[in-house]
Amino acid sequence: MKIIGIGKNYVNDKSEINALKTGDQLIFVKAESTLVTNNKDIVFPKITNQLIFEVELVAKIGKTGKDISESDAASYISEIGIGIDYTAKDVLGASRENKGPWALAKGFDGASPVNGFKPILNFSDINDINFSLNINGKEIQSGNTSDMIYNFVEIIAFVSKYMTLEPGDLIFTGTPASGAGQNFKGDHLQASIEGELLLDFKLI
C-alpha cells in the first residue's frame, strides 16, 4: 500500500483559495513502515532533534482507480480517519541544502500514526468536517475541510493521473494553516474528528 501526502493545502482565510489554486499540488510519498496504528505509543525517533507534527484527515482508498475524474473521485474513498504527518525538520534541512528529496525526513519509522477510520457514509459533507489536535491537554490545532485549497476529490483526481490508487492506500490531505509545531519526548497527543477522540498516543 501507499501513503500519499499533500503539503501546504489549507488557508486561514477562504478568500485566499482561488489565488493559491494553481493546479500544482505538492505531493509526496511515505513508506508503509512509517505507519503506527491502534493508538500505540511511539518511541521518539533517534534520527532527529526537531520532530514537527501536523494533524491531518486521512482518506482511505476503497477500490482501484487510474485517471479518476473529479465527479467520480468521492466514490473511491471508503473511510476517513485522522493522523499525524511527522517531519524530521533538521533532516529535511540537511537534505534541502544538497537539493535532495524528502524521503528520510518523512519516511522514518513512526512518522505516520493514524486511527479512527469511519465509513465515508458517516460524513454528510466531506467538505465540512471539523478536526483538532490536543497536546498535553491543550488544543494546538483545529481545522475544517472547507479551508482546503484542494479538496478530497481534487486530490484523488490529481494523484491518479500519475499513479494507480489501490484499496488500502492512505492519503494525508494536509494540515490546518496554523498551529503545527515541535513535539518532545513525553508529549501526549489526542486528535478528534467532530469532537470524537480517535487518535490518542504518547511519545516515549
Side-chain angles (χ1 to χ4, degrees), residues 127-168:
N127 295 314
D128 183 18
I129 302 174
N130 293 297
F131 62 107
S132 62
L133 171 67
N134 284 22
I135 300 179
N136 302 327
K138 180 180 179 181
E139 185 174 279
I140 301 298
Q141 284 191 281
S142 63
N144 183 282
T145 53
S146 64
D147 294 322
M148 299 169 87
I149 299 170
Y150 299 99
N151 60 32
F152 286 97
V153 300
E154 290 169 327
I155 294 169
I156 288 171
F158 180 82
V159 171
S160 70
K161 292 178 184 178
Y162 297 88
M163 62 187 83
T164 299
L165 294 175
E166 299 169 308

Side-chain angles (χ1 to χ4, degrees), residues 47-118:
I47 53 92
T48 183
N49 292 311
Q50 286 183 291
L51 184 66
I52 304 301
F53 64 83
E54 296 175 294
V55 68
E56 309 196 10
L57 292 182
V58 182
K60 183 182 289 185
I61 300 300
K63 60 183 180 180
T64 301
K66 171 71 175 175
D67 291 321
I68 300 166
S69 67
E70 290 185 15
S71 60
D72 290 336
S75 71
Y76 285 81
I77 304 172
S78 60
E79 299 171 84
I80 294 175
I82 195 163
I84 305 293
D85 172 26
Y86 272 124
T87 306
K89 188 176 181 180
D90 44 1
V91 175
L92 181 61
S95 181
R96 281 176 168 167
E97 285 183 9
N98 296 313
K99 297 183 179 180
W102 293 15
L104 297 181
K106 292 278 194 181
F108 56 90
D109 291 352
S112 306
V114 296
N115 203 57
F117 284 98
K118 304 283 187 180

Side-chain angles (χ1 to χ4, degrees), residues 33-45:
S33 56
T34 65
L35 273 182
V36 181
T37 59
N38 299 317
N39 284 330
K40 292 178 182 176
D41 290 338
I42 297 175
V43 176
F44 195 96

